[in-house]
Structure formats: C-alpha cells, structure tokens
Amino acid sequence: MPTFGLGVFDVKDQGVITDSIVEFGYRHIDTAKVYGNEELVGKAIADAIKAGVPREELFITTKLWRTEYSDPVQACKDSLERLNLDYVDMYLIHWSIPELESDQKTIKKTPMHKVWEGMEACVEQG
C-alpha cells in the first residue's frame, strides 16, 4: 500500500485524477460512494491504465456508506460497477458509526457486527 494517496472528495475533473496518476505518480486513489464521483474516478483510472500505468501498481480504496450497511456485498458490487473495476484493494466502512434513533441509544439500522459480517462476505466472495 502506498504511503501517500490522492483523496478525491469533491473532485469533479477527470483530468486532475488522470494527471495525478500518470504525471505525478500517485498510486493510491481514495474515493467513496458518497463522494458521488466513482464513475469519474473509474474513467480516470482507465485513462491512466491506457497511458501505461499497470493496474497492479494502483491501490484503489472505496467505502461503504452507512445507508448501505444492510448489504455490504451489493454495495461493493455497485461500487465496482461504477468504478469499472474487477476489484478494489481496500473497502472500508465509511464513518463506522451506526445511525441512532432520536433517543441516541437505540440503533436505527444494521448493528455494526452485522455490517462487519457483510464486509467479511465481500472478502470471501472475492
């Protein structure tokens, strides 16, 4: 895993991402579903690969958003489709806190141990 990465929160220019990979040597790209730009990031990665950067040199991170805690496997598949990739190198739980009811004590949605089971299923399913 590269020690320095490019976070693409709020990046809307595909060329910035491609240039960061091809011209400036970034190899870790950090995105997330909630950023709303996974498709753009995927296109930039494809352009970088076409420009000669091997996929194996890239370390791509994306994240599970809490509205998708109930089905991490499907959420990961959706991210892969948006990124147009066969795999990501790291899939994280974004803001790994459960949504709570108004009493701030009752878990509103999927408990974290169930989310974790879904994350492990992502690994098991490849």
Side-chain angles (χ1 to χ4, degrees):
M1 178 178 165
T3 57
F4 192 71
L6 178 67
V8 297
F9 172 72
D10 210 26
V11 175
K12 296 173 177 52
D13 184 340
Q14 180 178 327
V16 168
I17 301 167
T18 303
D19 289 349
S20 295
I21 298 168
V22 175
E23 293 184 33
F24 304 118
Y26 281 84
R27 293 298 184 259
H28 182 186
I29 307 300
D30 180 87
T31 189
K33 182 232 179 186
V34 75
Y35 299 169
N37 63 2
E38 284 181 322
E39 289 178 358
L40 180 87
V41 171
K43 290 176 184 175
I45 291 168
D47 286 349
I49 291 169
K50 285 178 193 165
V53 177
R55 168 61 179 98
E56 297 75 28
E57 286 186 13
L58 300 174
F59 192 92
I60 310 301
T61 301
T62 195
K63 303 170 196 86
L64 173 71
W65 187 239
R66 59 191 200 181
T67 58
E68 298 178 308
Y69 282 176
S70 64
D71 195 352
V73 172
Q74 186 58 53
C76 184
K77 288 177 181 177
D78 293 344
S79 284
L80 290 171
E81 185 175 321
R82 285 188 294 273
L83 289 163
N84 196 28
L85 294 173
D86 295 328
Y87 68 96
V88 291
D89 301 280
M90 187 181 327
Y91 190 53
L92 300 173
I93 300 171
H94 204 163
W95 286 15
S96 58
I97 55 173
E99 291 187 87
L100 300 175
E101 295 289 353
S102 59
D103 65 8
Q104 295 300 303
K105 296 177 185 172
T106 307
I107 294 175
K108 185 176 181 178
K109 296 201 178 207
T110 310
M112 290 310 294
H113 72 280
K114 293 292 186 185
V115 176
W116 189 253
E117 288 174 7
M119 296 296 282
E120 288 179 340
C122 289
V123 175
E124 291 166 5
Q125 294 181 30

